[in-house]
Amino acid sequence: MSDALAFVRHEWAGGRLRAIRLDELAEAASVSTGHFARQFRQYYDIGAVAALERLRLARAASMLLCGNQPLAVVAKECGFADAFHFSKRFSRTYGLPPGRYRRSRTDHDADIPLAAAGLRAMAATLWPPTAIEQAVHTSAPPPLRTGGSYGQTFTVPFGLSLTQVRFMLATYSSTTSGATVTLYREDPGGDRARVAAKRIEPMVDNTTEWLTIPSYQHGSYYLELSEPVGTPTWWWHQGGIAAVGGTAHIDGAPVHDINFIFSATAVGPAAATTAAHQR
């Protein structure tokens, strides 16, 4: 099983989840197709092809909930022949066609079919815990002015849950500066729901601060520095685009070729569930 799942992880590493045949899995496991099929079903209580399809559908559901890509693009990224084939398979698993599912996004959890089939552990194996990091070549922007804000969007990949965000702050040597850091869950339609906030006052110059939060699922987030006192600022990287697809914002407006420095810890489903119980 581990060899077969390692093969799947490699094939899906680029982000496009192509359909993988049973004979490919068996070859990766160095056993016959029939033997692999029997062992997989015995271990997971579901067929191998059906299990991987459910994982691909869960990724598609996440894309529908967190983005605005056309259905044909979602279908292609998740390994379906076309939008019609994708819609048929999606409706069978989620009980709604993709378009209706997207329009009622606040009522759904993309991972429910994975939990129902006992596939959360497999998802954690295919999308292991990771750190979402920004570039390390930094410079300090001007101090945040009164009434202004600095912000950064970022995305937690499918299959992972956000547990902590860290960010690099500076004060231009002031010992009396302060600011509020707020993490929002960003809805593609423009609404933002506050996840956590922290008032940092006084701030220490050239320091790393953090927000530790209950586990939040994959999707889009917005981290904001606001309500300044003194000369607080947030270290940034100039001349590059965020590896996690983020965009910097100054006073709420997007700014290109700049990214505010942050890192985020995202964990797989099993670890997220354990952390939530511990809290």
Side-chain angles (χ1 to χ4, degrees):
M1 291 302 111
S2 60
D3 288 341
L5 293 181
F7 170 76
V8 175
R9 185 167 58 245
H10 177 268
E11 292 298 302
W12 288 359
R16 179 167 294 182
L17 312 189
R18 73 171 182 87
I20 296 176
R21 303 187 311 274
L22 182 62
D23 64 298
E24 293 180 277
L25 295 170
E27 182 177 356
S30 301
V31 296
S32 70
T33 301
H35 180 72
F36 180 83
R38 289 190 297 272
Q39 291 296 311
F40 191 98
R41 183 174 289 277
Q42 180 178 343
Y43 191 82
Y44 288 104
D45 200 31
I46 187 174
V49 173
L52 295 187
E53 181 183 82
R54 188 158 294 207
L55 287 161
R56 292 188 289 118
L57 286 170
R59 163 68 69 83
S62 178
M63 292 176 68
L64 293 171
L65 294 176
C66 300
N68 296 309
Q69 302 97 326
L71 293 187
V73 173
V74 176
K76 184 176 181 180
E77 289 296 308
C78 297
F80 294 92
D82 51 43
F84 175 78
H85 179 225
F86 164 59
S87 181
K88 184 177 179 180
R89 303 302 297 176
F90 188 92
S91 299
R92 182 175 178 178
T93 299
Y94 283 86
L96 286 173
R100 285 180 57 192
Y101 185 88
R102 166 178 277 165
R103 288 191 294 272
S104 56
R105 66 183 66 181
T106 57
D107 300 327
H108 301 295
D109 180 350
D111 291 343
I112 286 178
L114 296 184
L119 296 175
R120 282 188 177 274
M122 185 187 296
T125 299
L126 295 177
W127 291 283
T130 187
I132 302 167
E133 299 284 352
Q134 278 284 36
V136 296
H137 301 292
T138 64
S139 59
L144 187 59
R145 63 179 180 82
T146 301
S149 66
Y150 290 150
Q152 179 73 36
T153 62
F154 65 96
T155 301
V156 175
F158 172 81
L160 300 176
S161 296
L162 182 66
T163 59
Q164 188 180 79
V165 181
R166 297 172 298 281
F167 32 90
M168 299 172 60
L169 302 177
T171 68
Y172 284 91
S173 299
S174 166
T175 60
T176 58
S177 295
T180 298
V181 177
T182 308
L183 177 67
Y184 295 93
R185 182 65 188 264
E186 185 177 52
D187 183 89
D191 295 330
R192 288 174 178 159
R194 191 173 79 166
V195 174
K198 182 179 183 180
R199 181 66 186 176
I200 305 171
E201 188 175 354
M203 286 172 52
V204 177
D205 196 21
N206 300 323
T207 185
T208 298
E209 295 283 349
W210 62 89
L211 290 173
T212 300
I213 59 176
S215 174
Y216 271 74
Q217 69 175 7
H218 50 265
S220 300
Y221 290 85
Y222 181 70
L223 187 63
E224 183 181 68
L225 185 71
S226 62
E227 301 177 350
V229 172
T231 55
T233 192
W234 182 358
W235 284 81
W236 66 11
H237 170 256
Q238 295 178 283
I241 298 174
V244 291
T247 302
H249 290 69
I250 295 179
D251 297 340
V255 180
H256 300 290
D257 295 326
I258 289 172
N259 285 289
F260 290 100
I261 302 302
F262 77 97
S263 65
T265 300
V267 299
T273 300
T274 300
H277 284 315
Q278 290 175 344
R279 277 187 287 268

PDB file of all heavy atoms in Angstrom, residues 175-205:
ATOM      1  N   THR A 175      10.466  51.639  20.717  1.00  0.00           N
ATOM      2  CA  THR A 175      10.108  50.699  21.787  1.00  0.00           C
ATOM      3  C   THR A 175       8.684  50.906  22.270  1.00  0.00           C
ATOM      4  O   THR A 175       8.246  50.265  23.230  1.00  0.00           O
ATOM      5  CB  THR A 175      11.065  50.876  22.984  1.00  0.00           C
ATOM      6  OG1 THR A 175      10.967  52.230  23.469  1.00  0.00           O
ATOM      7  CG2 THR A 175      12.492  50.569  22.599  1.00  0.00           C
ATOM      8  N   THR A 176       7.931  51.781  21.602  1.00  0.00           N
ATOM      9  CA  THR A 176       6.563  52.073  22.029  1.00  0.00           C
ATOM     10  C   THR A 176       5.545  51.845  20.916  1.00  0.00           C
ATOM     11  O   THR A 176       4.412  52.305  21.007  1.00  0.00           O
ATOM     12  CB  THR A 176       6.457  53.528  22.515  1.00  0.00           C
ATOM     13  OG1 THR A 176       6.857  54.414  21.450  1.00  0.00           O
ATOM     14  CG2 THR A 176       7.338  53.755  23.732  1.00  0.00           C
ATOM     15  N   SER A 177       5.945  51.150  19.856  1.00  0.00           N
ATOM     16  CA  SER A 177       5.031  50.919  18.735  1.00  0.00           C
ATOM     17  C   SER A 177       4.105  49.747  19.019  1.00  0.00           C
ATOM     18  O   SER A 177       4.389  48.872  19.844  1.00  0.00           O
ATOM     19  CB  SER A 177       5.827  50.650  17.456  1.00  0.00           C
ATOM     20  OG  SER A 177       6.569  51.788  17.071  1.00  0.00           O
ATOM     21  N   GLY A 178       2.987  49.703  18.299  1.00  0.00           N
ATOM     22  CA  GLY A 178       2.044  48.603  18.424  1.00  0.00           C
ATOM     23  C   GLY A 178       1.163  48.509  17.199  1.00  0.00           C
ATOM     24  O   GLY A 178       1.080  49.446  16.395  1.00  0.00           O
ATOM     25  N   ALA A 179       0.503  47.361  17.030  1.00  0.00           N
ATOM     26  CA  ALA A 179      -0.421  47.151  15.913  1.00  0.00           C
ATOM     27  C   ALA A 179      -1.261  45.919  16.204  1.00  0.00           C
ATOM     28  O   ALA A 179      -0.947  45.127  17.097  1.00  0.00           O
ATOM     29  CB  ALA A 179       0.337  46.986  14.596  1.00  0.00           C
ATOM     30  N   THR A 180      -2.321  45.766  15.447  1.00  0.00           N
ATOM     31  CA  THR A 180      -3.199  44.602  15.568  1.00  0.00           C
ATOM     32  C   THR A 180      -3.024  43.717  14.338  1.00  0.00           C
ATOM     33  O   THR A 180      -3.042  44.218  13.203  1.00  0.00           O
ATOM     34  CB  THR A 180      -4.671  45.019  15.682  1.00  0.00           C
ATOM     35  OG1 THR A 180      -4.836  45.801  16.877  1.00  0.00           O
ATOM     36  CG2 THR A 180      -5.586  43.806  15.748  1.00  0.00           C
ATOM     37  N   VAL A 181      -2.838  42.432  14.559  1.00  0.00           N
ATOM     38  CA  VAL A 181      -2.768  41.465  13.466  1.00  0.00           C
ATOM     39  C   VAL A 181      -4.050  40.646  13.473  1.00  0.00           C
ATOM     40  O   VAL A 181      -4.453  40.119  14.521  1.00  0.00           O
ATOM     41  CB  VAL A 181      -1.551  40.537  13.614  1.00  0.00           C
ATOM     42  CG1 VAL A 181      -1.544  39.497  12.508  1.00  0.00           C
ATOM     43  CG2 VAL A 181      -0.269  41.347  13.574  1.00  0.00           C
ATOM     44  N   THR A 182      -4.696  40.545  12.315  1.00  0.00           N
ATOM     45  CA  THR A 182      -5.961  39.819  12.204  1.00  0.00           C
ATOM     46  C   THR A 182      -5.885  38.833  11.048  1.00  0.00           C
ATOM     47  O   THR A 182      -5.410  39.181   9.964  1.00  0.00           O
ATOM     48  CB  THR A 182      -7.138  40.781  11.962  1.00  0.00           C
ATOM     49  OG1 THR A 182      -7.128  41.806  12.960  1.00  0.00           O
ATOM     50  CG2 THR A 182      -8.464  40.032  12.026  1.00  0.00           C
ATOM     51  N   LEU A 183      -6.335  37.615  11.285  1.00  0.00           N
ATOM     52  CA  LEU A 183      -6.421  36.598  10.237  1.00  0.00           C
ATOM     53  C   LEU A 183      -7.875  36.421   9.864  1.00  0.00           C
ATOM     54  O   LEU A 183      -8.733  36.206  10.729  1.00  0.00           O
ATOM     55  CB  LEU A 183      -5.844  35.266  10.722  1.00  0.00           C
ATOM     56  CG  LEU A 183      -5.932  34.096   9.742  1.00  0.00           C
ATOM     57  CD1 LEU A 183      -5.024  34.347   8.530  1.00  0.00           C
ATOM     58  CD2 LEU A 183      -5.547  32.785  10.420  1.00  0.00           C
ATOM     59  N   TYR A 184      -8.153  36.524   8.560  1.00  0.00           N
ATOM     60  CA  TYR A 184      -9.506  36.363   8.049  1.00  0.00           C
ATOM     61  C   TYR A 184      -9.591  35.144   7.156  1.00  0.00           C
ATOM     62  O   TYR A 184      -8.625  34.805   6.457  1.00  0.00           O
ATOM     63  CB  TYR A 184      -9.928  37.584   7.223  1.00  0.00           C
ATOM     64  CG  TYR A 184     -10.030  38.872   7.989  1.00  0.00           C
ATOM     65  CD1 TYR A 184      -8.940  39.751   8.049  1.00  0.00           C
ATOM     66  CD2 TYR A 184     -11.207  39.232   8.633  1.00  0.00           C
ATOM     67  CE1 TYR A 184      -9.023  40.949   8.742  1.00  0.00           C
ATOM     68  CE2 TYR A 184     -11.306  40.432   9.327  1.00  0.00           C
ATOM     69  CZ  TYR A 184     -10.210  41.288   9.377  1.00  0.00           C
ATOM     70  OH  TYR A 184     -10.291  42.474  10.052  1.00  0.00           O
ATOM     71  N   ARG A 185     -10.720  34.486   7.160  1.00  0.00           N
ATOM     72  CA  ARG A 185     -11.050  33.499   6.126  1.00  0.00           C
ATOM     73  C   ARG A 185     -11.659  34.290   4.988  1.00  0.00           C
ATOM     74  O   ARG A 185     -12.654  34.987   5.174  1.00  0.00           O
ATOM     75  CB  ARG A 185     -12.023  32.448   6.662  1.00  0.00           C
ATOM     76  CG  ARG A 185     -12.367  31.350   5.636  1.00  0.00           C
ATOM     77  CD  ARG A 185     -11.125  30.539   5.297  1.00  0.00           C
ATOM     78  NE  ARG A 185     -11.385  29.633   4.212  1.00  0.00           N
ATOM     79  CZ  ARG A 185     -11.720  28.341   4.376  1.00  0.00           C
ATOM     80  NH1 ARG A 185     -11.838  27.849   5.602  1.00  0.00           N
ATOM     81  NH2 ARG A 185     -11.913  27.556   3.350  1.00  0.00           N
ATOM     82  N   GLU A 186     -11.052  34.191   3.813  1.00  0.00           N
ATOM     83  CA  GLU A 186     -11.462  35.038   2.695  1.00  0.00           C
ATOM     84  C   GLU A 186     -12.378  34.274   1.758  1.00  0.00           C
ATOM     85  O   GLU A 186     -12.001  33.247   1.196  1.00  0.00           O
ATOM     86  CB  GLU A 186     -10.244  35.559   1.932  1.00  0.00           C
ATOM     87  CG  GLU A 186     -10.614  36.548   0.832  1.00  0.00           C
ATOM     88  CD  GLU A 186      -9.379  37.099   0.160  1.00  0.00           C
ATOM     89  OE1 GLU A 186      -8.535  36.284  -0.259  1.00  0.00           O
ATOM     90  OE2 GLU A 186      -9.242  38.319   0.055  1.00  0.00           O
ATOM     91  N   ASP A 187     -13.583  34.763   1.599  1.00  0.00           N
ATOM     92  CA  ASP A 187     -14.527  34.174   0.665  1.00  0.00           C
ATOM     93  C   ASP A 187     -14.265  34.731  -0.725  1.00  0.00           C
ATOM     94  O   ASP A 187     -14.031  35.934  -0.873  1.00  0.00           O
ATOM     95  CB  ASP A 187     -15.960  34.501   1.093  1.00  0.00           C
ATOM     96  CG  ASP A 187     -16.993  33.853   0.199  1.00  0.00           C
ATOM     97  OD1 ASP A 187     -17.387  32.722   0.496  1.00  0.00           O
ATOM     98  OD2 ASP A 187     -17.383  34.484  -0.808  1.00  0.00           O
ATOM     99  N   PRO A 188     -14.274  33.881  -1.768  1.00  0.00           N
ATOM    100  CA  PRO A 188     -14.020  34.385  -3.123  1.00  0.00           C
ATOM    101  C   PRO A 188     -14.978  35.485  -3.552  1.00  0.00           C
ATOM    102  O   PRO A 188     -14.668  36.289  -4.412  1.00  0.00           O
ATOM    103  CB  PRO A 188     -14.198  33.131  -3.998  1.00  0.00           C
ATOM    104  CG  PRO A 188     -13.917  32.000  -3.074  1.00  0.00           C
ATOM    105  CD  PRO A 188     -14.430  32.438  -1.729  1.00  0.00           C
ATOM    106  N   GLY A 189     -16.166  35.524  -2.945  1.00  0.00           N
ATOM    107  CA  GLY A 189     -17.125  36.565  -3.278  1.00  0.00           C
ATOM    108  C   GLY A 189     -16.810  37.909  -2.659  1.00  0.00           C
ATOM    109  O   GLY A 189     -17.471  38.901  -2.950  1.00  0.00           O
ATOM    110  N   GLY A 190     -15.808  37.983  -1.772  1.00  0.00           N
ATOM    111  CA  GLY A 190     -15.413  39.252  -1.203  1.00  0.00           C
ATOM    112  C   GLY A 190     -15.630  39.368   0.286  1.00  0.00           C
ATOM    113  O   GLY A 190     -15.107  40.288   0.917  1.00  0.00           O
ATOM    114  N   ASP A 191     -16.421  38.501   0.902  1.00  0.00           N
ATOM    115  CA  ASP A 191     -16.662  38.561   2.332  1.00  0.00           C
ATOM    116  C   ASP A 191     -15.493  37.939   3.090  1.00  0.00           C
ATOM    117  O   ASP A 191     -14.892  36.974   2.646  1.00  0.00           O
ATOM    118  CB  ASP A 191     -17.959  37.824   2.699  1.00  0.00           C
ATOM    119  CG  ASP A 191     -19.176  38.500   2.106  1.00  0.00           C
ATOM    120  OD1 ASP A 191     -19.119  39.735   1.934  1.00  0.00           O
ATOM    121  OD2 ASP A 191     -20.163  37.800   1.819  1.00  0.00           O
ATOM    122  N   ARG A 192     -15.205  38.484   4.259  1.00  0.00           N
ATOM    123  CA  ARG A 192     -14.133  37.960   5.095  1.00  0.00           C
ATOM    124  C   ARG A 192     -14.666  37.690   6.490  1.00  0.00           C
ATOM    125  O   ARG A 192     -15.289  38.557   7.104  1.00  0.00           O
ATOM    126  CB  ARG A 192     -12.964  38.951   5.174  1.00  0.00           C
ATOM    127  CG  ARG A 192     -12.177  39.038   3.874  1.00  0.00           C
ATOM    128  CD  ARG A 192     -11.126  40.135   3.933  1.00  0.00           C
ATOM    129  NE  ARG A 192     -10.360  40.171   2.690  1.00  0.00           N
ATOM    130  CZ  ARG A 192      -9.666  41.221   2.280  1.00  0.00           C
ATOM    131  NH1 ARG A 192      -9.654  42.313   3.007  1.00  0.00           N
ATOM    132  NH2 ARG A 192      -8.993  41.179   1.150  1.00  0.00           N
ATOM    133  N   ALA A 193     -14.410  36.503   6.999  1.00  0.00           N
ATOM    134  CA  ALA A 193     -14.810  36.138   8.349  1.00  0.00           C
ATOM    135  C   ALA A 193     -13.560  36.104   9.227  1.00  0.00           C
ATOM    136  O   ALA A 193     -12.576  35.451   8.888  1.00  0.00           O
ATOM    137  CB  ALA A 193     -15.499  34.774   8.354  1.00  0.00           C
ATOM    138  N   ARG A 194     -13.591  36.802  10.358  1.00  0.00           N
ATOM    139  CA  ARG A 194     -12.411  36.858  11.224  1.00  0.00           C
ATOM    140  C   ARG A 194     -12.188  35.510  11.900  1.00  0.00           C
ATOM    141  O   ARG A 194     -13.086  34.944  12.503  1.00  0.00           O
ATOM    142  CB  ARG A 194     -12.569  37.947  12.276  1.00  0.00           C
ATOM    143  CG  ARG A 194     -11.272  38.228  13.017  1.00  0.00           C
ATOM    144  CD  ARG A 194     -11.376  39.416  13.932  1.00  0.00           C
ATOM    145  NE  ARG A 194     -12.058  39.066  15.174  1.00  0.00           N
ATOM    146  CZ  ARG A 194     -12.057  39.835  16.268  1.00  0.00           C
ATOM    147  NH1 ARG A 194     -11.446  41.006  16.240  1.00  0.00           N
ATOM    148  NH2 ARG A 194     -12.687  39.458  17.352  1.00  0.00           N
ATOM    149  N   VAL A 195     -10.958  35.020  11.804  1.00  0.00           N
ATOM    150  CA  VAL A 195     -10.578  33.751  12.413  1.00  0.00           C
ATOM    151  C   VAL A 195      -9.886  33.986  13.757  1.00  0.00           C
ATOM    152  O   VAL A 195     -10.173  33.314  14.749  1.00  0.00           O
ATOM    153  CB  VAL A 195      -9.651  32.954  11.478  1.00  0.00           C
ATOM    154  CG1 VAL A 195      -9.125  31.700  12.168  1.00  0.00           C
ATOM    155  CG2 VAL A 195     -10.378  32.594  10.195  1.00  0.00           C
ATOM    156  N   ALA A 196      -8.962  34.952  13.797  1.00  0.00           N
ATOM    157  CA  ALA A 196      -8.210  35.227  15.015  1.00  0.00           C
ATOM    158  C   ALA A 196      -7.618  36.631  14.928  1.00  0.00           C
ATOM    159  O   ALA A 196      -7.419  37.167  13.831  1.00  0.00           O
ATOM    160  CB  ALA A 196      -7.100  34.197  15.215  1.00  0.00           C
ATOM    161  N   ALA A 197      -7.320  37.217  16.087  1.00  0.00           N
ATOM    162  CA  ALA A 197      -6.711  38.540  16.130  1.00  0.00           C
ATOM    163  C   ALA A 197      -5.803  38.635  17.349  1.00  0.00           C
ATOM    164  O   ALA A 197      -6.005  37.938  18.349  1.00  0.00           O
ATOM    165  CB  ALA A 197      -7.776  39.633  16.175  1.00  0.00           C
ATOM    166  N   LYS A 198      -4.804  39.517  17.257  1.00  0.00           N
ATOM    167  CA  LYS A 198      -3.842  39.674  18.352  1.00  0.00           C
ATOM    168  C   LYS A 198      -3.341  41.116  18.352  1.00  0.00           C
ATOM    169  O   LYS A 198      -2.888  41.633  17.320  1.00  0.00           O
ATOM    170  CB  LYS A 198      -2.669  38.699  18.158  1.00  0.00           C
ATOM    171  CG  LYS A 198      -1.618  38.724  19.238  1.00  0.00           C
ATOM    172  CD  LYS A 198      -0.536  37.685  18.926  1.00  0.00           C
ATOM    173  CE  LYS A 198       0.519  37.604  20.011  1.00  0.00           C
ATOM    174  NZ  LYS A 198       1.555  36.570  19.673  1.00  0.00           N
ATOM    175  N   ARG A 199      -3.445  41.766  19.494  1.00  0.00           N
ATOM    176  CA  ARG A 199      -2.881  43.098  19.648  1.00  0.00           C
ATOM    177  C   ARG A 199      -1.452  42.956  20.149  1.00  0.00           C
ATOM    178  O   ARG A 199      -1.191  42.312  21.184  1.00  0.00           O
ATOM    179  CB  ARG A 199      -3.702  43.901  20.652  1.00  0.00           C
ATOM    180  CG  ARG A 199      -3.198  45.328  20.866  1.00  0.00           C
ATOM    181  CD  ARG A 199      -3.363  46.178  19.617  1.00  0.00           C
ATOM    182  NE  ARG A 199      -2.756  47.507  19.774  1.00  0.00           N
ATOM    183  CZ  ARG A 199      -2.701  48.403  18.797  1.00  0.00           C
ATOM    184  NH1 ARG A 199      -3.233  48.120  17.610  1.00  0.00           N
ATOM    185  NH2 ARG A 199      -2.140  49.574  18.992  1.00  0.00           N
ATOM    186  N   ILE A 200      -0.497  43.542  19.425  1.00  0.00           N
ATOM    187  CA  ILE A 200       0.916  43.443  19.784  1.00  0.00           C
ATOM    188  C   ILE A 200       1.391  44.841  20.172  1.00  0.00           C
ATOM    189  O   ILE A 200       1.614  45.701  19.320  1.00  0.00           O
ATOM    190  CB  ILE A 200       1.748  42.895  18.607  1.00  0.00           C
ATOM    191  CG1 ILE A 200       1.173  41.564  18.138  1.00  0.00           C
ATOM    192  CG2 ILE A 200       3.208  42.739  19.006  1.00  0.00           C
ATOM    193  CD1 ILE A 200       1.776  41.058  16.859  1.00  0.00           C
ATOM    194  N   GLU A 201       1.526  45.079  21.476  1.00  0.00           N
ATOM    195  CA  GLU A 201       1.924  46.397  21.969  1.00  0.00           C
ATOM    196  C   GLU A 201       2.467  46.268  23.391  1.00  0.00           C
ATOM    197  O   GLU A 201       1.745  45.773  24.270  1.00  0.00           O
ATOM    198  CB  GLU A 201       0.738  47.353  21.946  1.00  0.00           C
ATOM    199  CG  GLU A 201       1.088  48.785  22.245  1.00  0.00           C
ATOM    200  CD  GLU A 201      -0.100  49.739  22.102  1.00  0.00           C
ATOM    201  OE1 GLU A 201      -1.178  49.299  21.648  1.00  0.00           O
ATOM    202  OE2 GLU A 201       0.053  50.934  22.446  1.00  0.00           O
ATOM    203  N   PRO A 202       3.710  46.653  23.637  1.00  0.00           N
ATOM    204  CA  PRO A 202       4.633  47.206  22.636  1.00  0.00           C
ATOM    205  C   PRO A 202       5.227  46.116  21.752  1.00  0.00           C
ATOM    206  O   PRO A 202       5.335  44.965  22.163  1.00  0.00           O
ATOM    207  CB  PRO A 202       5.720  47.850  23.492  1.00  0.00           C
ATOM    208  CG  PRO A 202       5.727  47.011  24.741  1.00  0.00           C
ATOM    209  CD  PRO A 202       4.297  46.629  24.973  1.00  0.00           C
ATOM    210  N   MET A 203       5.614  46.500  20.541  1.00  0.00           N
ATOM    211  CA  MET A 203       6.250  45.585  19.610  1.00  0.00           C
ATOM    212  C   MET A 203       7.763  45.592  19.810  1.00  0.00           C
ATOM    213  O   MET A 203       8.340  46.622  20.147  1.00  0.00           O
ATOM    214  CB  MET A 203       5.933  45.983  18.164  1.00  0.00           C
ATOM    215  CG  MET A 203       4.510  45.659  17.724  1.00  0.00           C
ATOM    216  SD  MET A 203       4.103  46.358  16.104  1.00  0.00           S
ATOM    217  CE  MET A 203       5.451  45.758  15.100  1.00  0.00           C
ATOM    218  N   VAL A 204       8.382  44.445  19.596  1.00  0.00           N
ATOM    219  CA  VAL A 204       9.839  44.329  19.633  1.00  0.00           C
ATOM    220  C   VAL A 204      10.357  44.448  18.205  1.00  0.00           C
ATOM    221  O   VAL A 204       9.818  43.825  17.284  1.00  0.00           O
ATOM    222  CB  VAL A 204      10.267  42.986  20.254  1.00  0.00           C
ATOM    223  CG1 VAL A 204      11.784  42.838  20.217  1.00  0.00           C
ATOM    224  CG2 VAL A 204       9.736  42.880  21.680  1.00  0.00           C
ATOM    225  N   ASP A 205      11.384  45.239  18.001  1.00  0.00           N
ATOM    226  CA  ASP A 205      11.913  45.463  16.657  1.00  0.00           C
ATOM    227  C   ASP A 205      12.485  44.171  16.067  1.00  0.00           C
ATOM    228  O   ASP A 205      13.149  43.398  16.763  1.00  0.00           O
ATOM    229  CB  ASP A 205      13.008  46.536  16.721  1.00  0.00           C
ATOM    230  CG  ASP A 205      13.340  47.103  15.348  1.00  0.00           C
ATOM    231  OD1 ASP A 205      12.500  46.980  14.433  1.00  0.00           O
ATOM    232  OD2 ASP A 205      14.433  47.670  15.205  1.00  0.00           O
TER     233      ASP A 205
END
